Amino acid sequence: MREASVLQLGLGWFPETHGGAENVFYNLARHLPRQGIAVDGLVLGSIRATLDSGARIDSFAPPTASLPRRLAAARTAIAGALHRQSPDLVASHFALTAVAALPALRNRPLVVHFHGPWALESAAEGAGALSVRLKFLVERLVYDRACRFIVLSHAFAAILAERYGVPPERIDRVPGGVEADRYDLPDSRRDARARLGWPQGRPILLTVRRLVKRMGLAALVDSMAELRRRVPDVLLVVAGRGPEAAALQDRIGALGLEEHVRLLGFVPDTHLPLAYRAADLCVMPSQALEGFGLTALESLAAGTPVLVTPIGGLPEVVEGLDGDLVLAGTDARAIGLGVAEALTGIRRLPCADACRSLVRTRFDWPVIAARTAAVYRGALS
């Protein structure tokens, strides 16, 4: 039964654009209607469809549109949706999209899904000072208008309060989710490797990352130089693409790690469950601003333990598991030592059933959608 309605404003549509914010938007559109929240959504992309859940999703501009055209199209589309659907509240997943909606909101409640500090992330990737300041201004304009905030972790709640001045009582923590059934495959590790063409009999590490500096891939590659001395046949498989790909490949060559590190490039989302299942261990070597770590959760859903650096919300993902899954630091030595201990049995790792059970209990999408719906109802009350 419909209890309330929401207009979701996103960055992209997950089947078309892969990212954490897009993943959350996509799955909330699928699961919120089952919690009594009718959903209309606007995103950058080419989507125009009504989902099986009843959610209606439309794009306001193609991904190739210039920034001025995007903003103008978003303003027009949002004003039209507010007039036609008259939703009870608006939920923003990206500040640049939502800023166009501010004049049309009037007294309608606005909930912000804070997926990360846009300006701070840009600064960490080397953006210019003017670009960072403009992004921070856009964020502040949207955040000053919001009545509630949803964050993925306590770490991002702290950033929201300390760097953006949001009162803590307006912040709710709802972690990211995963479709548990999709990752719980019947394949054995051996069968998964055979299907992927990965070698049998070698310890395989997997990391699924966007290839940018703050993800820590340079440190992870550096750690392999020492790790191969302790575990001679170890293999690191890196799934993902990004601007650091060429630099990482050069680093692999300079260290003589061609037989120990493989850059796979983009791996389709449909193949990821099998890749997680095929690995002995996943590693999240993030260096900064990791609000949650969805790929760590996906690995656990597949029954594969994951080692994480003590950054942002990563320790919160593995909290409650019986194992030593948080690395001592973010540098190559700490990563290499932790992985070596895990592969040689010195470091405790949870079993596959424990990993899957944690995900089903705390992170399955119906659980996350119910918690999100509760925040929306609180904003309306």
Side-chain angles (χ1 to χ4, degrees), residues 107-333:
N107 295 322
R108 189 174 276 106
L110 172 65
V111 176
V112 165
H113 287 261
F114 183 73
H115 296 285
W118 186 32
L120 296 178
E121 289 172 352
S122 296
E125 295 303 327
L130 178 59
S131 174
V132 172
R133 282 198 293 269
L134 288 173
K135 289 173 181 177
F136 186 75
L137 175 61
V138 168
E139 289 180 294
R140 286 299 302 264
L141 286 171
V142 174
Y143 301 166
D144 287 348
R145 175 61 179 77
C147 64
R148 303 294 302 180
F149 295 80
I150 294 177
V151 297
L152 297 167
S153 63
H154 294 301
F156 267 14
I159 289 177
L160 196 53
E162 295 166 8
R163 302 301 291 268
Y164 294 91
V166 175
E169 63 271 15
R170 290 163 58 191
I171 302 173
D172 293 277
R173 175 181 171 266
V174 179
V178 69
E179 193 172 352
D181 285 343
R182 183 169 169 267
Y183 290 87
D184 191 0
L185 301 179
D187 304 74
S188 67
R189 180 166 291 123
R190 183 176 184 83
D191 291 342
R193 290 187 181 187
R195 290 176 61 185
L196 291 169
W198 290 9
Q200 305 285 355
R202 294 183 70 177
I204 296 183
L205 310 175
L206 171 67
T207 189
V208 182
R209 305 266 69 195
R210 184 165 177 260
L211 307 188
V212 296
K213 291 179 180 177
R214 65 185 176 88
M215 296 300 178
L217 295 165
L220 180 58
V221 169
D222 288 352
S223 76
M224 294 295 292
E226 176 61 28
L227 180 59
R228 68 176 175 179
R229 296 188 183 96
R230 298 170 181 260
V231 187
D233 55 346
V234 66
L235 173 65
L236 168 64
V237 177
V238 181
R241 59 189 173 191
E244 291 297 301
L248 287 170
Q249 192 63 62
D250 289 345
R251 202 180 199 104
I252 292 165
L255 294 171
L257 293 172
E258 293 91 343
E259 298 301 317
H260 296 274
V261 183
R262 295 181 186 175
L263 302 185
L264 298 183
F266 175 70
V267 174
D269 191 59
T270 52
H271 295 171
L272 284 178
L274 201 63
Y276 288 121
R277 188 72 193 92
D280 292 282
L281 183 68
C282 283
V283 185
M284 293 282 285
S286 300
Q287 304 289 294
L289 298 173
E290 187 69 71
F292 182 65
L294 179 62
T295 57
L297 190 58
E298 291 172 342
S299 179
L300 296 177
T304 300
V306 56
L307 295 183
V308 303
T309 50
I311 294 296
L314 286 174
E316 297 176 41
V317 177
V318 299
E319 191 176 47
L321 281 171
D322 183 21
D324 189 7
L325 300 177
V326 181
L327 295 163
T330 61
D331 59 286
R333 184 178 182 279

